[in-house]
Amino acid sequence: MDTLLLGLNEIGHLNVLMAIVIGALIGVTIGSIPGLEPAGVMAILLPLSFSMDPLAGVSLLLGVYGGAWYGGAIPAILMNTPGTPVAVLTTYDGYPMAKRGEGKRALSIAYTSSFVGGIISVCSLVLLAPTLSQVARMFGSAEFAMLAALGMIFVVLAHRNHVVEAAMMLGFGIFLGTIGLDRSYSVQVFTFDQSWLLGGIPLVPAVIGLFAMSQAFVLLSQRGNDAQKTTLEGSGMFGGFIELFRHKMTVFRSATLGVVMGLLPGVGEFGSQFFSYTLAQKFSKNPEKFGDGAPEGVIASETSNNAVTASVMVPLLAFGIPTDALMAMLLAVFMVHNYIPGPTLFVERPEFISGLYLSLFLMNIVVFLYLTFATRWIVNLTRIRGRFIGAFILVLGFIGSYSQNYRFSDAMIALGFAIFGYMLRRANIPAVPIILGLVLGPVFLTRFRQAMGVAEGDLSIFVTRPISLTLFLMIAASLGFYIWGLLRKKV
């Protein structure tokens, strides 16, 4: 109770409440506009969050993150165009319902499913993060090295159709993480005597360039009038809870899958959405209706999407290991304020952890109420032209990358990553592994060196310690299953 009261005191500050509300509204807005992604907007807001109080800065980014998954259902259902990449399966049944004149019903189901999935996800974070943080107390250098390696392997294998490209991008990110001054040996690594590279490749300009400014280039390259008109028809914006009660097993199954998938690096929303939708169809009494306007399809897709949003933070809070690029941004906010994720954070900053839990609960409530009453006006956001949005994002990207350290070189780094990110988008090559390689690569290398120092160069330290051995076997099993799958396809 003491911790809960401390958390209430933390979120009771006006700046935290404003951050939750503003972040949620921005997230819904971003999700409602096809072509925009929350990663880009979070990247632009990252420098601003550094100047805020820790909880307010984290809440702002989490509001954008969670709100975007809610808002992505609007164009997915009304326009057959997912507002966010993870809303793809929502189009399968949401759009046919809208074509039948049941657009409001479909949106109500989507909002309610997202709300229930989001609340369950926060509950899982409250239960799992402290427990796993106790496990993290038993971790040494060998265990953290294997955990970082496992995270990178999972991220690569999660890109099932682009594993080779993802591995190359991960390697490139790890290489970028080595640039700068090596403090272990006090030598410069790949700096080419350039003073602006002594601190390494800064994360914020890299993230802004890869995700925000590259997307701006995509929007600017569109031709013609790319604005679209949508209409909201039907009735029943408040009937979503009744629909979910009718399909409670689908809700429970999808939420459970979302929570579990959120714990796995690189899997997240896409994996949970695919498995939830497949299982919902398999166990449905009317599987033939899926793809033709089945409410269960919308429930499975939206519940699983939002059940990931908080559970994905469990590895970050418990072990200090981000599982995707968005969590890497949150890690940057933690580090700037000297809040080191891991077991000590729960002991040293219990009020912050409790405040974070409560802010996530509040964020889901704010987004749900806002969408329930304001959808008729939010729909108009889909009419904004992509080129106008692209130009606006490009300007904000330059301002955001420069304003962190007030260095022109950071803006140029962001521009370089933007051009590279645009090329990757055109070639359909994933960019997320670059950021995770940039973040997890140094963690792996540092911990690996420490383990080797403790073991006096003996590699067996990674297989003689039980937790390290378990992680190593998970890596071997993941690679084994992938290779076995390739062999089966060839046969």
Side-chain angles (χ1 to χ4, degrees):
M1 287 300 297
D2 290 340
T3 304
L4 178 61
L5 291 175
L6 288 172
L8 287 172
N9 183 59
E10 286 287 307
I11 69 166
H13 293 94
L14 181 61
N15 60 341
V16 177
L17 293 174
M18 290 294 293
I20 294 172
V21 174
I22 293 173
L25 300 187
I26 292 175
V28 170
T29 302
I30 296 307
S32 304
I33 303 175
L36 289 184
E37 296 182 13
V41 179
M42 287 176 66
I44 292 174
L45 293 175
L46 197 56
L48 174 63
S49 66
F50 292 162
S51 62
M52 303 170 68
D53 292 337
L55 184 58
V58 172
S59 298
L60 177 68
L61 297 184
L62 287 176
V64 175
Y65 175 50
W69 295 157
Y70 278 83
I74 295 175
I77 291 172
L78 300 181
M79 300 166 52
N80 200 28
T81 302
T84 55
V86 297
V88 172
L89 290 184
T90 304
T91 64
Y92 287 13
D93 294 283
Y95 185 64
M97 291 180 69
K99 288 177 65 177
R100 295 200 302 258
E102 299 178 347
K104 287 187 178 180
R105 179 192 175 200
L107 286 174
S108 176
I109 294 172
Y111 297 160
T112 310
S113 300
S114 298
F115 177 73
V116 172
I119 294 297
I120 292 175
S121 185
V122 178
C123 291
S124 72
L125 175 65
V126 173
L127 295 173
L128 294 176
T131 303
L132 290 180
S133 70
Q134 297 302 316
V135 177
R137 291 178 178 275
M138 298 182 286
F139 276 45
S141 298
E143 286 77 15
F144 278 111
M146 286 295 99
L147 185 61
L150 179 65
M152 291 187 288
I153 292 294
F154 271 21
V155 167
V156 171
L157 297 183
H159 296 83
R160 290 174 295 175
N161 299 323
H162 303 280
V163 170
V164 176
E165 296 93 330
M168 292 173 62
M169 293 301 102
L170 177 68
F172 180 60
I174 294 173
F175 162 72
L176 293 177
T178 64
I179 296 175
L181 182 64
D182 189 333
R183 302 187 184 279
S184 301
Y185 301 100
S186 297
V187 296
Q188 296 184 31
V189 181
F190 299 117
T191 60
F192 302 101
D193 292 325
Q194 299 295 313
S195 59
W196 56 277
L197 284 176
L198 288 176
I201 300 296
L203 178 63
V204 174
V207 170
I208 290 176
L210 274 178
F211 295 104
M213 295 172 67
S214 65
Q215 180 63 29
F217 285 149
V218 172
L219 294 173
L220 288 171
S221 65
Q222 295 175 348
R223 296 182 178 180
N225 184 5
D226 54 335
Q228 302 186 50
K229 294 184 178 180
T230 58
T231 56
L232 186 61
E233 299 176 346
S235 59
M237 285 298 293
F238 297 94
F241 284 106
I242 298 175
E243 296 278 359
L244 262 65
F245 184 76
R246 291 174 182 169
H247 305 287
K248 49 185 174 294
M249 286 306 300
T250 300
V251 175
F252 175 76
R253 184 171 53 244
S254 301
T256 303
L257 277 170
V259 169
V260 173
M261 293 294 180
L263 301 175
L264 303 178
V267 180
E269 296 88 353
F270 292 101
S272 66
Q273 186 186 59
F274 173 79
F275 285 114
S276 298
Y277 190 88
T278 302
L279 290 177
Q281 185 175 18
K282 181 178 180 180
F283 290 103
S284 174
K285 296 179 181 178
N286 305 106
E288 71 282 355
K289 293 184 179 180
F290 276 69
D292 194 31
E296 291 173 272
V298 178
I299 291 172
S301 174
E302 290 298 312
T303 303
S304 59
N305 282 352
N306 287 269
V308 173
T309 52
S311 67
V312 74
M313 295 182 63
V314 173
L316 175 65
L317 291 178
F319 303 105
I321 300 294
T323 57
D324 58 23
L326 303 181
M327 293 303 105
M329 296 184 209
L330 286 184
L331 177 61
V333 180
F334 281 109
M335 301 301 284
V336 163
H337 294 288
N338 200 29
Y339 281 39
I340 310 301
T344 57
L345 185 62
F346 290 83
V347 177
E348 297 175 356
R349 303 286 184 177
E351 73 286 351
F352 172 80
I353 295 295
S354 182
L356 180 61
Y357 296 156
L358 293 174
S359 70
L360 286 169
F361 278 115
L362 185 58
M363 181 270 292
N364 279 279
I365 295 172
V366 169
V367 174
F368 178 73
L369 293 177
Y370 174 61
L371 284 172
T372 300
F373 292 101
T375 295
R376 66 181 67 182
W377 298 287
I378 298 173
V379 167
N380 294 324
L381 295 173
T382 60
R383 304 177 184 178
I384 301 176
R385 294 192 61 179
R387 287 187 174 183
F388 174 79
I389 299 171
F392 185 64
I393 292 176
L394 198 60
V395 173
L396 289 181
F398 276 116
I399 295 173
S401 57
Y402 173 78
S403 62
Q404 184 190 3
N405 297 309
Y406 299 101
R407 293 188 308 200
F408 183 72
S409 60
D410 284 357
M412 291 297 99
I413 289 174
L415 179 60
F417 274 101
I419 296 172
F420 184 57
Y422 175 71
M423 294 167 61
L424 293 180
R425 289 176 183 270
R426 294 295 297 269
N428 199 25
I429 296 175
V432 171
I434 297 177
I435 298 302
L436 290 180
L438 183 61
V439 174
L440 293 181
V443 173
F444 173 76
L445 294 174
T446 301
R447 295 293 188 173
F448 185 84
R449 287 176 181 172
Q450 292 174 352
M452 287 290 94
V454 171
E456 298 181 350
D458 187 2
L459 286 171
S460 64
I461 188 175
F462 296 106
V463 294
T464 54
R465 297 167 65 93
I467 298 178
S468 178
L469 175 61
T470 302
L471 296 171
F472 177 79
L473 292 176
M474 291 176 66
I475 293 173
S478 301
L479 293 174
F481 279 121
Y482 172 70
I483 295 172
W484 181 61
L486 290 180
L487 294 175
R488 283 191 62 186
K489 286 182 180 180
K490 290 184 178 180
V491 173

